[in-house]
Amino acid sequence: MKHLIKILFTTIIGAAGFACVNQDPDLDDCEQSVMLLFDWIDPATPRDNTSALNVKITGDNADISTTAPVEGKELEIFPGEYRFTAWESATNVTIDGTVLTVASTDGVATEPQDFTAGTTTDRVINNDTYQEIHVPMYQQTRDLIIRLQFTGDGVSLIQSASGSVSGIALSRELTFGFPPVDGRIRPQAITHGSVAYTFTEGADSWWTGQRTLLGNAGDDDQIFTVTVGLDEDQSVTEQVDFTSEFNGFHTVNLGEPWVISIELQISASLDLSIVDWYTGTESWLEAE
């Protein structure tokens, strides 16, 4: 029994750090053993690959940049209050503190890679055992699919279709992910711009474009502008206010792309008008 106690005592001293051997029992000056764990908030899940997460810890007695496997990491940290931030590496995305930004040119967003990220504030306390700190990991991007279907006497003249959507987040707090931690249906953006679309015609006669977004800019309108290229270098343009169609973008069926389907009519005189539109998710689209 004495031998067992001796082994246990040695383990605790080792976990707290050799510099703590001669310190007072409250361990004020000792590094504490912390297990950093990641909670993947539905529908976010760890990626199939096991590449390490980026981790940033800032606070009272440390400023640490490191990496961690998705299942967690053991760290030694002095007591104090800290912010723990973790994120997956992704192309065309940068994270500064808790602000995430997608690359853009003249206010037009570049395509970001899907990724998750999260942050929490917690206090590391004096303890002689491991302390668990949980970081919630939220989905940070969602695909927006726009589908166009043309009817009318001018359909045979269509050569191409392109467009853009304004009121798109270029940067925002990473806590306003999917779903937004602030509880808003339309979380606010720090900076906003637009995203460009190029549409391809499918065998079903629908023209489809797909982009990945950080989100909508909740305090702005989302205006869709479509330009249809016609024979003899002609084109026609139409706008439609999609603001209300984005109300579920951050909150509804988050594991699927958000889909907006638009029916447009083009006459022989090349007048373009919106007939109707439908909003839903990919499962809704397949069931249509």
Side-chain angles (χ1 to χ4, degrees):
M1 182 66 180
K2 291 183 178 179
H3 180 63
L4 177 61
I5 294 174
K6 181 178 180 181
I7 292 175
L8 179 60
F9 178 74
T10 302
T11 302
I12 293 172
I13 292 295
F18 182 79
C20 296
V21 172
N22 296 318
Q23 299 296 328
D24 292 333
D26 60 8
L27 305 179
D28 281 341
D29 297 322
C30 297
E31 290 184 315
Q32 303 297 302
S33 295
V34 170
M35 178 58 72
L36 191 62
L37 299 172
F38 306 101
D39 297 335
W40 302 83
I41 307 301
D42 185 60
T45 56
R47 301 299 176 204
D48 290 337
N49 63 53
T50 55
S51 58
L53 298 173
N54 304 289
V55 175
K56 180 70 174 177
I57 303 170
T58 57
D60 289 344
N61 297 304
D63 187 349
I64 301 169
S65 294
T66 185
T67 58
V70 295
E71 65 269 17
K73 182 173 183 176
E74 181 183 344
L75 298 167
E76 301 292 324
I77 306 177
F78 284 101
E81 186 167 317
Y82 299 94
R83 175 170 288 279
F84 300 84
T85 303
W87 66 96
E88 293 181 300
S89 296
T91 57
N92 296 327
V93 175
T94 58
I95 292 182
D96 183 7
T98 61
V99 175
L100 62 90
T101 302
V102 63
S104 61
T105 302
D106 297 328
V108 180
T110 304
E111 189 85 357
Q113 182 181 348
D114 286 334
F115 75 107
T116 59
T119 186
T120 190
T121 299
D122 207 338
R123 175 167 291 278
V124 176
I125 59 176
N126 294 326
N127 206 337
D128 59 2
T129 59
Y130 291 120
Q131 178 181 346
E132 291 186 355
I133 293 178
H134 292 260
V135 180
M137 299 294 288
Y138 290 92
Q139 175 182 326
Q140 296 295 335
T141 59
R142 189 176 192 178
D143 288 348
L144 174 63
I145 296 174
I146 298 179
R147 303 194 308 153
L148 312 175
Q149 186 175 61
F150 298 97
T151 60
D153 296 334
V155 168
S156 62
L157 302 175
I158 297 174
Q159 298 295 313
S160 64
S162 61
S164 66
V165 181
S166 64
I168 300 302
L170 299 181
S171 65
R172 61 169 174 78
E173 285 285 338
L174 63 83
T175 52
F176 299 167
F178 297 81
V181 174
D182 68 345
R184 298 178 61 189
I185 293 174
R186 298 167 51 84
Q188 67 186 31
I190 297 172
T191 60
H192 61 87
S194 63
V195 61
Y197 275 82
T198 299
F199 296 94
T200 302
E201 185 180 14
D204 58 357
S205 78
W206 284 89
W207 295 70
T208 302
Q210 181 168 345
R211 295 298 305 272
T212 302
L213 310 180
L214 294 185
N216 63 342
D219 295 331
D220 298 296
D221 294 335
Q222 283 70 51
I223 306 299
F224 174 59
T225 303
V226 58
T227 299
V228 181
L230 305 167
D231 284 347
E232 300 180 359
D233 295 326
Q234 299 183 83
S235 65
V236 289
T237 299
E238 184 63 52
Q239 283 191 334
V240 58
D241 189 337
F242 272 161
T243 305
S244 62
E245 306 307 307
F246 276 79
N247 285 345
F249 189 71
H250 281 265
T251 57
V252 178
N253 296 339
L254 300 176
E256 305 175 40
W258 191 245
V259 183
I260 301 177
S261 298
I262 313 165
E263 295 183 8
L264 305 98
Q265 186 174 67
I266 184 166
S267 67
S269 61
L270 306 185
D271 291 328
L272 183 66
S273 60
I274 305 294
V275 177
D276 206 352
W277 62 81
Y278 313 91
T279 303
T281 59
E282 198 167 43
S283 60
W284 161 85
L285 180 64
E286 293 171 354
E288 188 182 21

